[in-house]
Amino acid sequence: MAVYLLAFFAHMAEWLFGSRSKVARTAAALTSDRTGTGKAAGPATARARADAAEGKGGTAVLDRPKVVTRSAPGARDVPDGPGAHGGDEQGDLYGRIAVSLMALAWALEAGGVLTRALSVRRAPWGNMYEFNITITTVVVGVYLVLLALRKNVRWLGLPLVLTVLLDLGLAVTVLYTASAQLVPALHSYWLWIHVSTAIFCGAVFYVGAVATLLYLFRERYETKLAAGLTPGRFATSVMERLPASMTLDKFAYRVNAAVFPLWTFTIIAGAIWAGDAWGRYWGWDPKEVWSFITWVAFAAYLHARATAGWKGRKAAYLALIAFGCWLFNYYGVNIFVTGKHSYAGV
């Protein structure tokens, strides 16, 4: 957690120093001709020179260029932002440090999950504490793999490491459970298959949910600009460095669509395990019911995406509802509802 905290501060520095790059670019534009770069002066600088030549006092004011968010009505070919570093070399350096710290923290956390498994000689997913530390490991692993594949996802780093810290804090303070053996019903190779796929699906669904949330903010920002409105300075500093809303929308859709078949397999594997353990494949246990509700919600989202009238914000809201069902299936059902899956409390 200490290393994750350092990564969080490094990601914050990446965003802060990246926002300063706008000031640097403005200053460079104002003084470009004075330093002999040979670039043409802007309209404001030309006016200042004309005033100076006529003996008038004048102050050069850089005209802020218009931000074009749509090339035509209804078009969504907005170019992506430069990323969290904002195009600034110092911001980019802090971003690379943050990624390195996250890789180190991931290795330490993965080692902790492994030692937990070795201490009990079983899969380390027998209670919510073990599930939490494993799923945060997988979430960070998915993020690092996307970066290794040269995907432009470093903008995910700050919200990801923040929620990982919150999840680990909850795990070590509220959900902590000492190492212990499982009940006989859980001694099955299906534990490795069913729970591991559920963990991976949850991690990928999380990445898709973050992208969906950012899509909603970015899409509203683009809509305001297209309507001639002026968003706040803070919103502009953040939004202009994110990918375009269309890019975020496609990313979230592809992530959810890619993992949905595996979530289907997770439910089927759970049913087969239930048949071996309890003698029935389906018994309307709360966990089973909410797993199916989650499946229906994501299926509805994917179906809505294939329907022209449900693209954009409507589909995004449906995706967040589906992820909310997954969260309740894990936290709500395990903590507040009693069923056959309630073996070790939290």
Side-chain angles (χ1 to χ4, degrees):
M1 288 185 66
V3 182
Y4 275 131
L5 185 61
L6 292 176
F8 171 76
F9 288 131
H11 273 299
M12 285 291 294
E14 178 186 15
W15 282 90
L16 291 174
F17 282 94
S19 65
R20 293 182 184 180
S21 66
K22 278 202 312 180
V23 179
R25 289 196 300 270
T26 301
L30 287 170
T31 59
S32 60
D33 190 73
R34 190 183 310 167
T35 55
T37 58
K39 295 182 180 179
T45 308
R47 287 197 304 269
R49 283 184 182 166
D51 290 341
E54 297 173 9
K56 300 178 181 178
T59 303
V61 179
L62 182 67
D63 293 334
R64 185 170 184 174
K66 292 183 179 180
V67 179
V68 180
T69 60
R70 297 182 177 121
S71 59
R76 285 287 186 176
D77 54 352
V78 184
D80 292 340
H85 54 81
D88 179 72
E89 292 185 4
Q90 190 173 13
D92 183 65
L93 174 62
Y94 281 108
R96 294 178 183 276
I97 292 174
V99 172
S100 300
L101 288 171
M102 289 191 71
L104 175 60
W106 175 84
L108 294 173
E109 188 178 13
V113 173
L114 178 61
T115 55
R116 178 80 171 194
L118 294 175
S119 68
V120 290
R121 297 183 179 181
R122 59 168 173 80
W125 312 314
N127 49 64
M128 289 187 69
Y129 167 74
E130 295 174 352
F131 194 98
N132 271 39
I133 62 174
T134 305
I135 197 171
T136 52
T137 305
V138 177
V139 167
V140 177
V142 169
Y143 171 69
L144 294 175
V145 167
L146 290 174
L147 287 176
L149 295 175
R150 299 185 181 276
K151 303 297 182 181
N152 180 24
V153 295
R154 212 161 77 187
W155 43 269
L156 271 173
L158 184 59
L160 184 144
V161 71
L162 175 61
T163 49
V164 164
L165 282 170
L166 293 175
D167 196 44
L168 288 177
L170 179 67
V172 299
T173 56
V174 178
L175 303 178
Y176 179 76
T177 304
S179 300
Q181 292 301 319
L182 300 176
V183 297
L186 294 182
H187 285 286
S188 171
Y189 60 89
W190 283 106
L191 175 65
W192 293 90
I193 300 173
H194 171 66
V195 183
S196 64
T197 55
I199 290 173
F200 181 77
C201 289
V204 178
F205 283 148
Y206 165 80
V207 172
V210 173
T212 301
L213 275 173
L214 293 177
Y215 158 76
L216 291 173
F217 288 116
R218 172 74 187 198
E219 196 275 339
R220 184 177 295 276
Y221 171 76
E222 292 178 5
T223 301
K224 285 184 178 181
L225 288 178
L229 302 176
T230 303
R233 182 176 299 179
F234 175 77
T236 300
S237 175
V238 174
M239 292 296 114
E240 71 178 3
R241 285 180 278 167
L242 291 176
S245 61
M246 184 175 65
T247 302
L248 291 168
D249 190 34
K250 286 183 178 179
F251 176 79
Y253 170 65
R254 290 172 180 173
V255 163
N256 288 324
V259 80
F260 180 74
L262 190 60
W263 180 249
T264 305
F265 171 77
T266 301
I267 297 177
I268 295 173
I272 296 174
W273 187 13
D276 289 343
W278 303 321
R280 91 289 187 280
Y281 294 103
W282 191 266
W284 299 104
D285 182 75
K287 179 70 70 172
E288 297 169 350
V289 171
W290 275 97
S291 296
F292 180 68
I293 291 174
T294 303
W295 183 89
V296 170
F298 276 107
Y301 161 71
L302 296 176
H303 177 72
R305 281 299 307 245
T307 305
W310 278 89
K311 291 181 180 179
R313 298 186 70 86
K314 290 182 179 180
Y317 291 139
L318 192 54
L320 292 180
I321 291 173
F323 183 68
C325 292
W326 186 90
L327 285 178
F328 182 80
N329 180 40
Y330 175 52
Y331 288 102
V333 173
N334 284 8
I335 295 176
F336 303 111
V337 183
T338 302
K340 284 185 173 292
H341 287 76
S342 301
Y343 289 108
V346 297

